[in-house]
Amino acid sequence: MRRNYKLLLLVLLLAFASCSFTTKTFDDPNKDRLLVQLISYVLENGHFQPKDINDEFSEQVFEDYLKQLDPFKRYFYESDIKEFMLYKDKLDDQIKVYDVSFFNLTHERLIQRIKESEDIYKEVLAQPFDFSVDEEISTDYDALPYVGSKKEMKERWRKLLKFSTIANYDNLMTEQESEGSAGEGSGDVSNEKRENKTKAQLEVEAREMTLTSLDELHEFINDRQRQDWFSVYVNAIVEEFDPHTFYFAPEDKDRFDVAMSGNFEGIGARLQKKMDAIIVNEIISGGPAWRQNKLEVGDQIMKVKQEDEKDAISIVGMRLDDAIKFIKGPKGTKVTLTLKKVDGTIEDITITRDIVEIEETYAKSSTVIKDGKTFGVINLPKFYVDFEDYNKRNAASDIKKEVIRLKDAGAQGLVLDLRNNGGGSLQTVVDMVGLFIKDGPVVQVKTAGEDKEVLNDRDKSIVWDGPLVVLVNELSASASEILAAAMQDYKRAIIIGSKQTYGKGTVQNVLDLNRMVRNSSSGDMGALKFTTQKFYRINGGSTQLEGVKSDVVVPDRYSYINIGEKDQENPLAWDKIDAVDYDVWSNYYDYDVTIKQSKERMANNEQLKLIDANAQWVKKIRDQEVYSLNYDKYKAELELNEEEAKRFEKISDYKTDLTFSSLPYEQELMAKDSVLKEKRERWHENLSQDVYIEEALHVLHDLKMTYDVKTKVATVKD
């Protein structure tokens, strides 16, 4: 299922609110019909931009639903699609009368074809593959036609299975070669007894591995109940509204509740389903994967192995929730993940599971001395808040504390690092912007059918009135974009980072559908997350799609990868409303000159040139769609990629001459807490190797103020 768990998206910015239209209740005895009825009503009356349920809508649902059911076109025949085509422009009519006959037809046919495919792949894998044959496979599955016969279907499966098996074969060959070289001259008697397997024996073993993976996958598929497949159909409908509108089946809703509570257990990563792949799309700060520092956003998890198991289990093609069950586990246990890295290389990593320490999602700060001046760096992983008591702890109040501490330490400029920050509480953004301006508008919010609302900072005090740089990247989303946009519009800070931020300018509500059901005879109906509002900058422009464009653009490894809102399906459009009145910050006298100087430095920075070359190479690897099934050519291409990857290894060797230090209060804590000490030392080490932080400090050094930075919390009077 495409984007199966929206709860795992890094761009969550949710508003939990009661909806005025939920006073209506429903009581259709058929659960499927009732669910379609509920969701249709909610989206028609509550979505920010309801879609016309017409023939065009029907055709889009039709195409997307079939793509989710059979992304590799390895189940359905051309004859099936012709039969389904009778419904292509009629799904809108079915939705309006809560008719699910199209789903029934496709579900029954899919189950039939999946059962038939078991015989096909077992027959194919009973025969050896000839890796000397010069043939290729294309992974551009959208361009593939549906097959017209069983003979064509068998040939499609043969290529798919050969593609999987050649990867297994290469792994076995590599392992055998490495074991052989390790034993040479070691005097290890056991190595003398170990006999190298022939290529034919390795081919058999590779095929057996592929067969085991397919058997396990089909075991999970066969365990799926009708309601699981119905959720796929429902989401094919609701996702036409926008990428963040999603139906949570009861089990999914429970997982969403856990995610929002902040209690994470396992490896500490959020995952996303794309086609048949399980992709890492956020590393949870403070979690085991974060501490280990090897798993990255964009990595595909291909296999999972428990510490007490000999063989890994392939999760390619597996339901996301089933895959998560293998990856999660009790604290202290180890799990080995086989990854396809962002650059296309394959790597095994072992992570010790743990409970994510929520403390690491909080703001943290450091001081650094550059050219005789003291500067502060604040890292904010998310815009957190205690939903039960806003005043208890939130991102804005914590940032205020860190700013005051940095002022006491003599900081003459601040860097606010919002890279990879996917958002959070709206109120904290408004309060945080208020720390850096006198007062005024922060963001405009538009609800469908209502007048816009302008959220203002009304506190005239300014906690920090000195030079400010905000760091962002492609994964800075939602609340991060609101803050960066406000700082840019006020000309209060210089924004350094990616060409643009993520581009999520919408707010979602989560509605428990059970609230709308008159009786409980149908069981748990799940929940619906749907878009209800859009954000707009104070200059009138939306952050939707376009995000925030950095004042100084610097490349990173995601520069050429499609990971933003604009790259999702069915995003809401960018638009503009009237600007509001606001006074631009006037206390820099060389704002534009500083930006110009920074751009010139960045254009001549050899480290950034190498990073940009790496980003282009990563895109080239990821965009590859044709692969050789001839082993010599397959291996040669792998070796070429590995050789080319070596030229980028020195990216991680970059080192500045900067030394970062924790504030006095934290040094006292570190003296008593060795774990905290280790975390901060690693963070400081990373900062000292960070070319973006280095440039941010250059900018702070260049920015000239019309007055000296005050050493106490400033209060600007009327």
Side-chain angles (χ1 to χ4, degrees), residues 379-615:
N379 176 265
L380 184 67
K382 63 186 292 187
F383 287 79
Y384 50 85
V385 66
D386 186 320
F387 283 106
E388 294 182 1
D389 183 0
Y390 182 82
N391 295 318
K392 188 174 181 180
R393 185 167 196 179
N394 63 72
S397 60
D398 281 359
I399 291 291
K400 181 177 181 179
K401 290 177 184 176
E402 295 303 317
V403 170
I404 292 172
R405 288 163 174 161
L406 288 167
K407 285 171 71 77
D408 290 342
Q412 294 173 273
L414 290 183
V415 178
L416 180 58
D417 189 353
L418 299 181
R419 290 174 295 177
N420 303 323
N421 185 320
S425 163
L426 178 59
Q427 184 59 50
T428 60
V429 186
V430 177
D431 290 347
M432 202 178 298
V433 169
L435 303 177
F436 306 110
I437 64 172
K438 178 184 174 184
D439 59 3
V442 174
V443 63
Q444 304 186 76
V445 183
K446 186 82 170 65
T447 303
E450 298 181 14
D451 293 335
K452 71 178 183 183
E453 180 183 6
V454 180
L455 303 184
N456 292 276
D457 164 45
R458 302 185 184 282
D459 185 347
K460 295 183 182 297
S461 65
I462 304 176
V463 177
W464 176 255
D465 59 0
L468 180 64
V469 167
V470 177
L471 285 179
V472 296
N473 64 5
E474 293 90 347
L475 302 178
S476 302
S478 211
S480 294
E481 296 174 289
I482 293 172
L483 187 139
M487 293 295 92
Q488 190 176 63
D489 289 342
Y490 276 105
K491 285 198 170 185
R492 176 62 186 91
I494 290 178
I495 312 300
I496 300 177
S498 52
K499 185 176 180 182
Q500 69 163 75
T501 53
Y502 190 89
K504 180 180 182 289
T506 57
V507 189
Q508 285 71 44
N509 279 336
V510 179
L511 175 65
D512 185 344
L513 296 174
N514 296 295
R515 291 170 49 190
M516 302 177 66
V517 181
R518 182 166 296 152
N519 59 67
S520 59
S521 61
S522 296
D524 195 336
M525 300 302 297
L528 182 68
K529 175 159 71 76
F530 58 104
T531 299
T532 57
Q533 296 173 314
K534 279 180 81 172
F535 292 127
Y536 295 86
R537 301 170 67 138
I538 55 177
N539 70 8
S542 173
T543 56
Q544 177 67 8
L545 298 187
E546 293 194 0
V548 177
K549 293 175 170 57
S550 297
D551 297 313
V552 180
V553 176
V554 288
D556 61 30
R557 70 181 314 173
Y558 302 112
S559 293
Y560 303 98
I561 298 176
N562 299 330
I563 58 174
E565 178 86 357
K566 65 183 183 303
D567 304 307
Q568 306 298 318
E569 293 191 37
N570 309 310
L572 296 187
W574 180 89
D575 62 341
K576 191 172 184 177
I577 61 176
D578 292 338
V580 290
D581 293 331
Y582 59 96
D583 297 323
V584 172
W585 183 261
S586 58
N587 295 324
Y588 298 128
Y589 67 74
D590 63 347
Y591 183 87
D592 295 325
V593 172
T594 299
I595 290 175
K596 181 175 180 291
Q597 290 173 336
S598 179
K599 287 180 177 179
E600 290 172 354
R601 267 194 306 268
M602 293 296 88
N604 296 305
N605 187 295
E606 293 301 320
Q607 174 74 351
L608 288 177
K609 288 179 182 178
L610 189 61
I611 290 172
D612 188 58
N614 183 48

Side-chain angles (χ1 to χ4, degrees), residues 130-144:
D130 185 351
F131 293 132
S132 67
V133 175
D134 197 6
E135 60 178 341
E136 297 175 328
I137 184 173
S138 171
T139 57
D140 183 7
Y141 301 110
D142 286 342
L144 284 178

